C-alpha cells in the first residue's frame, strides 16, 4: 500500500515493529492518532520515549522499579529467605497475580541459549550466586527455579543447580502437571507422566 | 494488574489508548520495547510525535500530503474533471487500491452528525462547493459521492446534492449491491433489493 506522506509511512513502519502488529493495524493506529488531540499523541510519544530513559531496575532482584530497590525487595512483609528465579519481569507479574508467593524474586533477564548468543555472563547469574553466598539482603534458605520448560530453560536450571548446591541452599523447581480444569485425555504425555511421578498426598493438596 | 514502575504504567496506559489495544496488549508492547535497543524505541516515539507536527494536508482535497498539493491533485495523469467525495483518508487509500479510479478526491473529514456535534462547518464542505463553482484546479464535470451508507452518510449525501445540483455539475453515488463472491441468500434485504433495482445491462458488466 502506497502512503501519501512519508511522515505517515515512517510512523506506520515504526508502529508495525510492535509485537503482533502488522502494516494494516499500524496504519489504523497512525490514522487514529492523526484524529486525536496533539497533546494526547505527544503524551504517547513521551511515555514511550521515557521507557528508554526513566526505567530503573532493582539493585537486588533486577526487576523494574521506580526506586533503587523494588517494592518487593524493600517490603518487610516478604519472606526474604526464599528467592524465586524467573526469566523476565512478565513472570514476576504472573506469579504476583496468583497471590500465592510471599518470598523474593531474582530476574535472570533470559535463559542460557548458545543459538541466540546468550551466555552465562549475559544473564543476572553472578548476582544470584553472590546473593545466596553473602545472604543479601538476608540469609537465603531456598531458591525456587521457575524457568520455562524448554531446552534452554532446562540447561539454565541445571547450571544454576550445580552452582547453588555447594552453597548449602535448598534448590526446588515449581511443580509441573496437568493444569486445573484440563481433561487428562488432552494433556501431553510428558506433562501427564510428570504429574503421576510427582503425585502428592491427597491431604496436602 | 499492579505494575512495579510508574514509567511503565504510564506507557501501558498511553498504548492502551490505541484502537483495539487493551491493557494486556499494551503491557506486551511496553515490555517488548524495554527489550529493544533504545534508539529504536526513540525512533518510534519520534515518529509518533511527528504525526502531530509534520503532517500536512493537501490544499485542494484535504488528504494528507508531504507537499502543499498531494500527489493525486498535482498529477497531470489524473482526470481533473471528476471529484470523488469521501469521508476520510482511509477511504482515499481504499479506492486508490482498486486502481479503478483516475479522478481526484475531496476528503470531507467526517459526515454530518448532530449527535456527535459535527455540523456543516466542521467538514470540508465549503471548499468542495468553491472547488466546483470556481473550477479549481480545473472545471469539475462530475462529483461522485462515496460516503458511508449510514443515516449520517445519507444526510450528508442529501445536503451535498442539494448544494451541488444548482451549480450544473453531474452528481453520482457509487453502486451498492451484493459483493462479488457473496451468496445471494446471505445478502441483507436492502442491499439485494438495491442490486435488483439498479441492475445493469449484461454487456456493460
Amino acid at each position: 500500500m502506497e502512503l501519501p506522506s512519508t511522515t505517515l509511512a515512517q510512523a506506520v513502519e515504526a508502529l508495525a515493529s510492535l509485537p503482533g502488529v502488522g502494516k494494516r493495524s499500524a496504519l489504523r493506529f497512525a490514522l487514529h492518532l492523526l484524529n486525536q488531540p496533539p497533546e494526547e499523541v505527544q503524551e504517547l510519544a513521551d511515555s514511550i520515549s521515557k521507557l528508554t530513559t526513566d526505567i530503573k531496575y532493582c539493585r537486588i532482584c533486577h526487576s523494574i522499579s521506580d526506586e533503587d530497590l523494588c517494592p518487593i525487595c524493600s517490603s518487610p512483609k516478604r519472606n526474604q529467605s526464599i528467592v524465586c528465579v524467573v526469566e523476565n519481569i512478565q513472570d514476576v507479574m504472573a506469579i504476583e497475580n496468583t497471590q500465592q508467593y510471599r518470598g523474593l524474586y531474582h530476574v535472570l533477564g533470559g535463559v542460557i541459549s548458545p543459538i541466540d548468543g546468550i551466555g552465562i555472563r549475559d544473564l543476572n547469574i553472578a548476582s544470584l550466586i553472590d546473593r545466596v553466598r553473602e545472604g543479601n539482603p538476608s540469609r537465603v534458605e531456598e531458591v525456587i527455579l521457575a524457568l520455562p520448560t524448554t531446552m534452554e530453560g532446562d540447561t539454565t536450571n541445571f547450571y544454576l543447580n550445580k552452582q547453588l548446591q555447594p552453597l548449602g541452599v535448598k534448590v526446588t523447581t515449581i511443580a509441573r502437571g496437568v493444569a486445573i480444569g484440563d481433561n487428562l485425555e488432552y494433556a501431553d504425555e510428558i506433562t501427564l507422566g510428570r504429574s503421576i511421578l510427582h503425585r502428592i498426598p491427597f491431604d496436602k493438596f
Side-chain angles (χ1 to χ4, degrees), chain A:
Chain A
M1 184 168 357
E2 216 173 299
L3 296 178
S5 148
T6 47
T7 308
L8 182 66
Q10 277 163 5
V12 169
E13 196 167 319
L15 285 163
S17 73
L18 292 170
V21 175
K23 279 274 160 82
R24 281 187 90 90
S25 301
L27 178 62
R28 196 155 54 95
F29 291 168
L31 293 171
H32 167 84
L33 291 172
L34 277 182
N35 290 328
Q36 298 308 301
E39 54 278 10
E40 269 182 40
V41 179
Q42 195 52 53
E43 210 172 277
L44 172 62
D46 290 346
S47 71
I48 289 173
S49 178
K50 276 186 187 162
L51 286 178
T52 66
T53 51
D54 288 16
I55 284 277
K56 284 198 281 276
Y57 293 88
C58 173
R59 178 167 52 84
I60 294 181
C61 75
H62 309 288
S63 185
I64 47 174
S65 166
D66 283 328
E67 311 290 332
D68 185 40
L69 279 186
C70 76
I72 295 173
C73 283
S74 58
S75 167
K77 290 184 185 161
R78 309 289 298 215
N79 182 349
Q80 306 207 325
S81 67
I82 309 182
V83 173
C84 180
V85 178
V86 292
E87 186 181 7
N88 53 38
I89 299 152
Q90 287 96 309
D91 297 340
V92 173
M93 291 186 204
I95 296 177
E96 281 299 287
N97 275 343
T98 68
Q99 305 195 331
Q100 295 291 321
Y101 180 64
R102 303 302 298 160
L104 305 185
Y105 292 94
H106 194 89
V107 178
L108 284 191
V111 283
I112 298 169
S113 173
I115 283 182
D116 301 317
I118 302 173
I120 292 150
R121 277 152 211 267
D122 301 311
L123 305 171
N124 299 317
I125 290 180
S127 63
L128 173 65
I129 308 297
D130 283 353
R131 204 174 153 180
V132 174
R133 185 184 288 127
E134 292 165 20
N136 173 22
S138 67
R139 206 177 119 67
V140 178
E141 282 163 14
E142 180 177 353
V143 172
I144 305 173
L145 301 176
L147 297 175
T149 47
T150 55
M151 207 176 68
E152 291 79 12
D154 285 343
T155 306
T156 314
N157 275 333
F158 185 78
Y159 178 80
L160 290 178
N161 186 48
K162 212 175 115 192
Q163 299 291 310
L164 291 167
Q165 287 292 2
L167 303 176
V169 70
K170 185 175 160 191
V171 181
T172 59
T173 69
I174 59 166
R176 308 286 180 176
V178 181
I180 290 167
D182 268 13
N183 286 324
L184 294 202
E185 55 180 322
Y186 300 127
D188 66 285
E189 290 159 22
I190 297 175
T191 303
L192 188 54
R194 289 267 194 108
S195 73
I196 291 172
L197 200 64
H198 298 139
R199 62 194 178 279
I200 44 172
F202 190 77
D203 54 0
K204 280 206 180 169
F205 194 71

